[in-house]
Amino acid sequence: MLSVKGLTANVGDKEILKGLDLEIAPGEVHAIMGPNGAGKSTLSHVLSGREGYEVTGGSATFEGRDLLELEPEERAQLGLFLAFQYPVELPGVNNTYFLKAALNSIRKARGEEELDAVSFLRLIKEKLKILHLDDSLLKRAVNAGFSGGEKKRNEIFQMALLEPKLAILDETDSGLDIDALRVVANGVNALRSPERSMIVVTHYQRLLDYIQPDYVHVLAKGRIIRSGGKELALELEEKGYGWIDAEGQAA
Amino acid sequence: MTSAPAVDDIVKSEYEHGFTTEIDSDTLPPGLDEDVVRAISKRKGEPEFMTEWRLRAYRHWLTMREPEWAAVNYPKIDFQAISYFSAPKRPEDGPKSLDEVDPALLETYEKLGIPIEEQKALAGIAVDAVFDSVSVATTFRKSLAEAGVIFCSISEAVHEYPDLVKQYLGSVVPHTDNYYACLNAAVFSDGTFVYVPKGVRCPMELSTYFRINARNTGQFERTLIVAEAGSYVSYLEGCTAPQRDENQLHAAVVELIAMEDAEIKYSTVQNWYPGDAEGRGGIYNFVTKRGDCRGARSKISWTQVETGSAITWKYPSCLLRGDDSVGEFYSVAVTKGRQQADTGTKMIHIGKNTRSTIVSKGISAGQGEQTYRGLVRISQRAEGARNHTQCDSLLIGDRCTANTVPYIEVKHPSAKMEHEATTSKISDDQLFYCRSRGLTEEDAVSMIVNGFCKEVFNELPMEFAVEAQKLLSISLEGAVG
């Protein structure tokens, strides 16, 4: 589904990704862990098409398409979804309106019929339940005045609605207390399916107690320096990034 | 109110204006002097009092100087180069078919979803009277007549209701008010007259769209709306479709008068031609709009969506004379390309416990230049007056400007004033967020802008609000990147 090969990317003059490889098959959940400054967010942003990053080499294909030459909205329409680490506020833009526009734009791109208001509302109510979200959220402006937990839940709620093929969760656990974390993780788990893959980017092992990954990768200094099963995350938790860092340098 | 004209009459009158051959001789040569003013009055068959009224204005105009304080730049207008009376164009002078019309204009019509017959009319192509609209207008007139509401052209009013015209015309915006208002008083071409009798709630939204004879009111339009005690009227002006017009200078005057407990709601969508990419050929829109809350507990509310014109100079105002009267101003103004706008409002608190609300949303894109200029004055006897002003600017791109110039004069210690102002930019983060959800950049901009303007759109009549939103999206296409 996603195939990243030798990806290198700069921010300004600084090289952040230094030859990154990643293969993700349908239905797999991959966790990417790593210390601060390893390039985790850069990877999320480069894959989703954010401006400000210069890809200097390598490739990324998604469903057979060259991801890197697509606009962000085209990637979304293909089925890529990024749950933001810091969801952006859109004052005055009604949440329901925003979601309907987003969903219909994706459906349209896929050649599906746009949903009318009634079917959309039915769908949205159904999805709200997964995230234990209140109806009142629909009447508010997108993320405006939301608490940290609400913002993150809203991201997963959007994911539930847009039904992506590949979701990238960028530090979705940051800033969440344990209860909110559980709700968010349950939401994510409810969305796992044999057709849907996920990249869970996180700093801490904690999230992986709730969202069990098939693979764990350690990202450091712009490269994946170690990959393994979920036990790798536990090992990391125990020994810290320093351990793997030292090993990485020795290698 | 005169009885509703039969369909036949309407069709015939269209015919008259559209197909006579004497029309060429009906256009006065460029230039302005007393004879021209007299000639205009004569062509319109006006009674003596109107001719005198116009002449008085003209003589005063000669003593005035063009105002220069607004933050707009344009070449000096040669007032002797303008023709002050031109009869409606003959159909064969306009484009013959849609093939001859600027494709860009057609594209906009298409996006606005305007029916083909209406597209033709807007583009200046002669169309046969569409039976539907004639019958709608006739039904419309009938139910207004039943309610006792007068709704006609100001020329008609001069003939049919001279006493009302004498009493109210120029009573809110006297000819001495300002340079353009004075010019308008001397040479105004036509416009709208509305009179709502005591206690009557006007049964429908009034719109010039339904006034069959509203076309070709020309560059010096004059509107007068009088709402007697306890009455209510909502008036819609303008059209979201970009209108073709040969006249560059538009100097309209709008006067509203609300008596005791009366309410007037005046909504405008202005989308005159803004000129080409360099701003050439766009309309200069120098308008004076003022409402007079004469009676206690009266209310006047201005709502405007301004996206067109090369230069806009406009301050719809309220004179809050009656005790407990209320003035409101809700505005969305867009400047893009080379457009310039110096716009805002004046709230003059005279009566006790008068209240006013100002919500101004300015959007500047491209090399647009926009200034909000607003005055709130609390006079010595306006005990307990209150004002709330909210003035927000949204910038798109880095070559546009937005200024806010609020004037506040308070002469009573009990006044309560609030002024909030913000300036923001559509951020890259916001755009990326929307795009990562599958929306195009243009959809994202229009969504954010519409969110920004929501408080104003909420004040517009429903179907107008929908159109205004669409218009805003179309105006801002290509504004980013």
Side-chain angles (χ1 to χ4, degrees):
Chain A
M1 175 174 282
L2 178 73
S3 170
V4 179
K5 291 200 173 91
L7 188 65
T8 56
N10 289 5
V11 175
D13 289 337
K14 199 166 178 236
E15 187 171 55
I16 308 285
L17 298 183
K18 303 172 182 172
L20 188 137
D21 298 299
L22 188 64
E23 293 289 332
I24 296 178
E28 291 177 355
V29 174
H30 291 239
I32 294 187
M33 302 182 67
N36 288 326
K40 299 192 300 288
S41 282
T42 300
L43 176 63
S44 308
H45 289 155
V46 168
L47 290 179
S48 51
R50 185 181 194 128
E51 280 172 33
Y53 299 89
E54 191 198 347
V55 175
T56 50
S59 67
T61 52
F62 176 59
E63 298 268 278
R65 297 278 299 271
D66 180 356
L67 199 57
L68 301 176
E69 63 176 25
L70 299 175
E71 296 292 333
E73 59 270 29
E74 293 172 319
R75 301 181 196 203
Q77 288 158 0
L78 267 186
L80 185 77
F81 179 87
L82 172 66
F84 281 57
Q85 181 177 4
Y86 304 108
V88 181
E89 301 194 2
L90 303 175
V93 179
N94 173 274
N95 218 2
T96 309
Y97 180 69
F98 175 74
L99 293 169
K100 183 160 176 259
L103 180 66
N104 278 335
S105 131
I106 288 175
R107 289 179 69 100
K108 211 164 120 191
R110 288 181 189 157
E112 293 164 6
E113 217 172 293
E114 293 184 34
L115 284 187
D116 60 44
V118 177
S119 347
F120 178 75
L121 274 178
R122 201 179 299 135
L123 178 69
I124 213 170
K125 296 253 151 107
E126 197 181 292
K127 304 288 182 186
L128 274 174
K129 281 188 209 134
I130 303 178
L131 271 296
H132 302 280
L133 281 165
D134 194 62
D135 276 18
S136 65
L137 180 104
L138 298 174
K139 297 190 188 83
R140 292 160 66 182
V142 182
N143 294 324
F146 283 30
S147 71
E150 279 176 325
K151 281 184 183 171
K152 294 296 174 75
R153 269 194 281 170
N154 194 32
E155 291 293 289
I156 306 305
F157 170 55
Q158 291 183 9
M159 171 176 152
L161 194 72
L162 301 179
E163 301 186 316
K165 291 184 186 133
L166 173 65
I168 303 170
L169 311 182
D170 190 6
E171 307 223 9
T172 296
D173 51 339
S174 70
L176 290 186
D177 61 37
I178 198 75
D179 293 330
L181 182 68
R182 199 174 289 137
V183 173
V184 166
N186 287 343
V188 172
N189 285 330
L191 297 172
R192 283 178 84 150
S193 90
E195 297 85 40
R196 183 169 299 131
S197 314
M198 296 185 195
I199 299 175
V200 181
V201 177
T202 180
H203 196 74
Y204 301 106
Q205 193 272 336
R206 191 177 64 161
L207 178 65
L208 305 180
D209 287 341
Y210 300 98
I211 304 171
Q212 302 236 332
D214 300 305
Y215 299 94
V216 175
H217 308 279
V218 180
L219 179 64
K221 300 201 173 126
R223 245 185 235 122
I224 293 198
I225 54 169
R226 185 176 280 228
S227 299
K230 56 181 181 252
E231 65 288 348
L232 178 59
L234 294 168
E235 207 176 337
L236 268 177
E237 180 81 350
E238 197 184 310
K239 299 185 181 167
Y241 287 115
W243 155 67
I244 210 135
D245 223 22
E247 244 185 34
Q249 267 163 12
Chain B
M1 167 116 208
T2 47
S3 65
V7 174
D8 271 356
D9 286 349
I10 294 168
V11 175
K12 219 189 309 169
S13 71
E14 286 256 316
Y15 214 78
E16 238 169 46
H17 288 288
F19 294 90
T20 46
T21 44
E22 314 151 331
I23 275 177
D24 279 339
S25 61
D26 246 9
T27 300
L28 289 172
L32 185 57
D33 55 27
E34 286 205 9
D35 288 342
V36 169
V37 175
R38 276 202 187 87
I40 293 170
S41 190
K42 190 166 169 247
R43 303 251 192 226
K44 299 176 79 62
E46 288 176 351
E48 185 62 24
F49 84 91
M50 271 314 300
T51 315
E52 281 309 312
W53 196 83
R54 287 175 182 274
L55 283 170
R56 208 163 44 236
Y58 173 70
R59 286 171 199 140
H60 185 76
W61 184 70
L62 291 175
T63 69
M64 296 178 96
R65 291 189 51 189
E66 223 179 320
E68 283 166 359
W69 46 263
V72 292
N73 293 302
Y74 54 92
K76 206 152 174 51
I77 299 169
D78 180 359
F79 289 93
Q80 293 302 334
I82 297 172
S83 170
Y84 290 86
F85 186 86
S86 80
K89 291 226 172 241
R90 282 181 301 170
E92 50 269 42
D93 293 338
K96 308 275 180 300
S97 74
L98 283 176
D99 299 338
E100 290 175 33
V101 175
D102 182 0
L105 201 61
L106 293 181
E107 206 179 304
T108 312
Y109 291 158
E110 210 56 55
K111 285 177 190 155
L112 283 167
I114 295 169
I116 198 90
E117 285 305 307
E118 236 176 284
Q119 288 190 19
K120 288 183 185 170
L122 287 164
I125 299 166
V127 280
D128 296 332
V130 183
F131 187 77
D132 268 1
S133 69
V134 173
S135 60
V136 166
T138 311
T139 327
F140 188 81
R141 287 198 146 210
K142 207 174 275 172
S143 54
L144 284 181
E146 276 162 18
V149 174
I150 302 172
F151 179 42
C152 62
S153 75
I154 200 116
S155 307
E156 237 176 297
V158 167
H159 291 112
E160 307 285 331
Y161 315 100
D163 292 343
L164 287 175
V165 172
K166 251 189 238 174
Q167 189 181 348
Y168 293 110
L169 193 70
S171 73
V172 186
V173 181
H175 66 267
T176 50
D177 190 80
N178 71 70
Y179 191 79
Y180 301 110
C182 190
L183 178 64
N184 175 291
V187 303
F188 73 87
S189 28
D190 210 335
T192 304
F193 177 69
V194 178
Y195 179 83
V196 191
K198 205 170 163 182
V200 169
R201 193 179 166 88
C202 186
M204 66 238 327
E205 313 260 0
L206 297 183
S207 155
T208 40
Y209 181 80
F210 290 107
R211 239 194 55 218
I212 284 285
N213 53 358
R215 288 205 196 290
N216 289 300
T217 43
Q219 53 197 133
F220 300 103
E221 199 171 344
R222 185 110 201 167
T223 302
L224 174 61
I225 300 178
V226 181
E228 289 286 7
S231 68
Y232 168 85
V233 63
S234 165
Y235 182 84
L236 312 179
E237 168 199 58
C239 175
T240 51
Q243 280 164 293
R244 214 178 75 116
D245 198 295
E246 308 292 329
N247 305 309
Q248 187 164 40
L249 174 66
H250 279 239
V253 172
V254 176
E255 297 178 280
L256 312 181
I257 297 151
M259 301 306 198
E260 223 172 76
D261 296 300
E263 179 177 348
I264 303 177
K265 195 171 161 58
Y266 193 103
S267 314
T268 306
V269 171
Q270 184 266 115
N271 191 20
W272 294 105
Y273 183 52
D276 62 16
E278 296 304 313
R280 280 181 301 247
I283 302 282
Y284 296 172
N285 192 22
F286 300 155
V287 184
T288 306
K289 292 184 166 179
R290 193 171 304 153
D292 186 354
C293 285
R294 250 173 232 188
R297 297 169 303 278
S298 57
K299 178 176 174 183
I300 289 180
S301 178
W302 299 100
T303 307
Q304 57 172 25
V305 177
E306 302 269 331
T307 62
S309 297
I311 298 173
T312 301
W313 182 96
K314 176 178 174 186
Y315 315 90
S317 308
C318 296
L319 298 172
L320 303 170
R321 295 207 282 179
D323 290 347
D324 301 294
S325 61
V326 176
E328 293 176 338
F329 174 75
Y330 299 95
S331 168
V332 168
V334 179
T335 48
K336 58 173 194 299
R338 295 275 186 168
Q339 282 177 287
Q340 309 172 51
D342 192 305
T343 181
T345 182
K346 287 188 265 184
M347 293 292 173
I348 313 294
H349 292 254
I350 301 162
K352 291 192 180 74
N353 300 315
T354 45
R355 279 169 294 150
S356 63
T357 304
I358 299 172
V359 178
S360 163
K361 305 277 182 176
I363 300 159
S364 218
Q367 295 177 67
E369 290 175 29
Q370 191 165 142
T371 302
Y372 166 82
R373 192 184 299 276
L375 167 68
V376 180
R377 178 184 291 153
I378 313 283
S379 73
Q380 272 160 329
R381 49 170 295 253
E383 190 187 332
R386 273 183 290 162
N387 164 265
H388 177 81
T389 300
Q390 191 188 328
C391 188
D392 300 323
S393 305
L394 184 69
L395 303 176
I396 303 175
D398 50 15
R399 290 189 301 166
C400 52
T401 56
N403 308 300
T404 303
V405 190
Y407 301 79
I408 299 173
E409 297 173 19
V410 179
K411 292 191 179 142
H412 197 287
S414 67
K416 283 193 188 138
M417 311 281 297
E418 294 168 40
H419 185 99
E420 288 178 34
T422 65
T423 303
S424 53
K425 257 187 99 159
I426 294 187
S427 72
D428 292 344
D429 281 349
Q430 289 176 322
L431 288 179
F432 176 64
Y433 189 73
C434 294
R435 295 178 73 190
S436 77
R437 299 297 180 255
L439 299 164
T440 62
E441 189 164 77
E442 273 168 6
D443 287 345
V445 169
S446 104
M447 200 176 264
I448 293 166
V449 167
N450 276 313
F452 174 75
C453 301
K454 203 154 86 182
E455 284 161 279
V456 175
F457 287 159
N458 285 346
E459 295 298 322
L460 285 171
M462 186 61 172
E463 62 277 27
F464 230 37
V466 174
E467 280 187 44
Q469 269 190 32
K470 231 197 282 182
L471 172 63
L472 205 60
S473 313
I474 292 168
S475 338
L476 289 171
E477 266 180 18
V480 178

